Amino acid sequence: MNEQLKTFIQVAESGSFSKAAEKLFISTTAVMKQMNLLERHAGVPLFNRTNHGVRLTQAGSAFIKDAEFMLRYYQESLIRMHQAAQANRHMVRVGTSLLNPCKVLIDLWNGASDRYPQFGINIVHFDDDAHTLPTSYRTLGQSFDIIVGPFLTDRLNDCYQMLELGSYRVCFAVSRHHKLASKKILSAQDLYGEKLAVVNGGKSAVIQDIRDFLVRNHPRIRIKDIPRLYDLDVFNRCEESNTVMLTLEAWGEVHPSLATIPSDLDFTVPYGLLYPLHPSGEIQQFIEIIREMQRVPTPG
């Protein structure tokens, strides 16, 4: 009925089925069918049809103001309905940055968001800075509720909870001018004689295991320990100094002057959601929804 009212008002204003159809961006036949149906429901003619267009009958003139009122009331009702729904909707604040992009979570959520209209996503940007990142981790729940990224800092594990979503492959990044930049895959032997930056300011057990493996089995690689968290400055310095860097496949597009090349090392780094130790009831419910989505196999 809502579409019929809109069409009726437009026909009355245009004085023509074809002009109304053009403004409504539908066919003239569709306009005529809607008006015929409306007249059948009303039980009286609403238009006088002539070769020069259409004009309202006395009944149509009496109905036009009511039609405008009903359409306006319907539209206002929709607004009130959506406002009421928004009042009960909880916005989950997801932190995002160049090294901790939220796309993984957004893609996952977009596949199920229709089933959970009580939740919405609000994206909050934060900086990848080794000096401020620990504060971002420690204050989860203040500026944002969730960070999506690799688990690379065991020394802050007592500041948040984690929900693993998957793992990233370990890679090596080299300057695009480096002699190894054209390689499709790098083995540890390819790095003999090279300086390899191992960033582990977060005291990550996974990164430490990789370092110990290389030191024990490939002593010809010159390990350069970087006692800080990964940030853009580390990428810049490795590119400037032509130093190979231990990195992750997810960071392949972080620095345009670095080539990220898969390695043959049998190591991966888990990634997922970081969220407060004591989340609100809504955030805990959201986390449980994501956890359940991880348990259910994807069809096909």
Side-chain angles (χ1 to χ4, degrees):
M1 179 61 75
N2 176 49
E3 289 302 314
Q4 292 173 15
L5 291 177
K6 284 168 49 178
T7 302
F8 170 71
I9 293 168
Q10 188 61 63
V11 171
E13 291 177 354
S14 302
S16 164
F17 289 142
S18 59
K19 289 180 181 178
E22 184 177 348
K23 291 183 178 180
L24 294 170
F25 207 66
I26 58 177
S27 69
T28 302
T29 301
V31 170
M32 295 174 66
K33 284 182 177 179
Q34 287 189 40
M35 293 305 91
N36 291 338
L37 184 60
L38 182 61
E39 287 179 322
R40 281 202 297 272
H41 285 158
V44 293
L46 299 175
F47 295 102
N48 286 318
R49 295 157 172 82
T50 72
N51 293 332
H52 303 291
V54 296
R55 58 184 177 82
L56 292 172
T57 62
Q58 188 172 350
S61 296
F63 180 57
I64 186 69
K65 290 191 180 300
D66 290 334
E68 291 171 344
F69 171 79
M70 286 188 288
L71 182 60
R72 185 169 60 252
Y73 187 81
Y74 173 76
Q75 292 170 336
E76 290 173 352
S77 295
L78 285 180
I79 293 172
R80 289 192 294 271
M81 179 179 66
H82 285 295
Q83 287 175 339
Q86 290 290 339
N88 295 320
R89 197 172 188 228
H90 186 82
M91 300 306 294
V92 179
R93 301 167 301 167
V94 180
T96 191
S97 68
L98 194 59
L99 296 183
N100 295 273
C102 62
K103 186 177 184 301
V104 170
L105 175 59
I106 299 304
D107 288 346
L108 187 62
W109 180 247
N110 284 343
S113 58
D114 289 347
R115 301 199 300 272
Y116 306 99
Q118 70 272 33
F119 287 106
I121 298 290
N122 193 345
I123 306 300
V124 181
H125 176 77
F126 68 96
D127 292 323
D128 290 309
D129 184 289
H131 304 291
T132 60
L133 275 174
T135 300
S136 297
Y137 291 138
R138 291 190 182 99
T139 58
L140 267 170
Q142 295 183 15
S143 297
F144 36 79
D145 305 300
I146 294 172
I147 294 177
V148 187
F151 303 154
L152 285 173
T153 170
D154 294 348
R155 68 182 175 87
L156 295 172
N157 283 0
D158 58 347
C159 298
Y160 48 75
Q161 298 187 65
M162 297 177 287
L163 173 61
E164 186 172 338
L165 299 179
S167 61
Y168 289 137
R169 186 177 180 181
V170 170
C171 298
F172 296 115
V174 299
S175 167
R176 294 194 181 277
H177 302 294
H178 196 284
K179 64 182 182 181
L180 297 174
S182 62
K183 291 272 192 178
K184 299 299 182 184
I185 189 167
L186 286 175
S187 67
Q189 289 83 355
D190 290 324
L191 303 186
Y192 286 178
E194 298 289 339
K195 186 187 296 183
L196 174 66
V198 177
V199 183
N200 196 18
K203 306 296 182 184
S204 166
V206 176
I207 298 298
Q208 187 62 43
D209 286 346
I210 297 172
R211 182 193 184 281
D212 291 345
F213 170 83
L214 293 174
V215 169
R216 184 171 60 253
N217 297 285
H218 302 281
R220 292 175 60 185
I221 300 175
R222 294 182 294 150
I223 301 293
K224 178 178 177 59
D225 292 304
I226 310 293
R228 62 184 295 173
L229 297 175
Y230 277 97
D231 66 2
L232 291 179
D233 191 47
V234 171
F235 285 79
N236 286 330
R237 290 181 180 275
C238 286
E239 196 280 331
E240 293 165 3
S241 63
N242 213 29
T243 300
V244 182
M245 181 175 68
L246 187 72
T247 185
L248 302 176
E249 60 179 324
W251 293 338
E253 304 298 323
V254 166
H255 198 299
S257 296
L258 289 174
T260 299
I261 305 171
S263 78
D264 65 352
L265 298 180
D266 190 22
F267 291 95
T268 59
V269 172
Y271 72 84
L273 309 185
L274 307 181
Y275 60 100
L277 281 177
H278 305 290
S280 67
E282 291 85 357
I283 295 302
Q284 186 63 56
Q285 184 183 358
F286 180 83
I287 293 294
E288 291 306 318
I289 290 171
I290 299 298
R291 193 189 306 276
E292 187 60 32
M293 289 168 63
Q294 289 297 99
R295 294 192 187 112
V296 178
T298 302

